Amino acid sequence: MSSPLQFNATDAATAAASSPPSPPALVASHVQSSSGSEGDPHSVVDERKRKRMISNRESARRSRMRKQQHLDELLGQVTRLQTENNQMVSRIDAAAQQYQGIDGENAVLRAQVNELTERLQYLNSVLHFLEDFSGMAMDIPEIPDPLLKPWQLPCPPQPIFASADMLQY
C-alpha cells in the first residue's frame, strides 16, 4: 500500500492508463522524481513496463494517424475516380447518341439508294422493251458510281514528275 504522500511506479501506470496519453518525457520525469526507491529491482522492471507501455501507446497513436491519413487519401481517390467515371459515362452517352443519329441517316441513305436503284432498273427495262419493240438501238451509257466501287478511280491516274532540283532550297 502506498501512503498519501508516496507515489510509486504502479500508481503512475494506473494514472497513465486512466488519463489521456501525455508526452512521454513529462510522465517519465514526473515518475522518476517521485519514485521512492530507485535501487529496488521491482521498480526497475515496473519502470521498463511503464516506458514500454508509453512507447506502445505512442506507436498505436501514430499507427492510427497513418491509417486515418491513408483512409483520407483513399476517399479522395474514390471521389476523383467517380468524377472521372461520370465524365466517361457522359462521353460514351454522347458518342452513342451521335452514332444513333448517323446510323439513322445511313439507313435513310440506304433506303434512297435502294429506291433509286429500283427506279433505274425499271427505266432500263422500259428502254429495253422499247428497243425490242421499235427495233431501234438505244444506247444507255452506264454512269460510273465511285461510291459503289471505291477501288475504281473516276479518272485515270496520271504520273507525277519531279526532279532533284525541285527538292533543293
Side-chain angles (χ1 to χ4, degrees), residues 5 12-13 17 32 44 46 49 57 62 70 72 98 111 114 125 131 144 148:
L5 298 176
Q32 285 177 355
V44 173
D46 289 343
K49 284 183 182 179
R57 283 185 185 155
R62 286 191 308 266
H70 184 66
D72 293 343
Q98 186 178 11
N114 288 336
S125 67
E131 183 180 281
L148 295 178

Side-chain angles (χ1 to χ4, degrees), residues 14 18 25 32 45 72 93 118 124 132 149 161:
T14 306
S18 64
Q32 285 177 355
V45 171
D72 293 343
D93 289 344
E118 287 175 9
N124 280 335
D132 290 342
K149 298 177 183 173
F161 297 104

Side-chain angles (χ1 to χ4, degrees), residues 45-61:
V45 171
D46 289 343
E47 182 70 18
R48 285 183 190 157
K49 284 183 182 179
R50 185 189 61 75
K51 285 183 180 179
R52 187 170 49 237
M53 185 172 56
I54 291 169
S55 175
N56 286 346
R57 283 185 185 155
E58 188 63 24
S59 176
R61 184 184 66 79

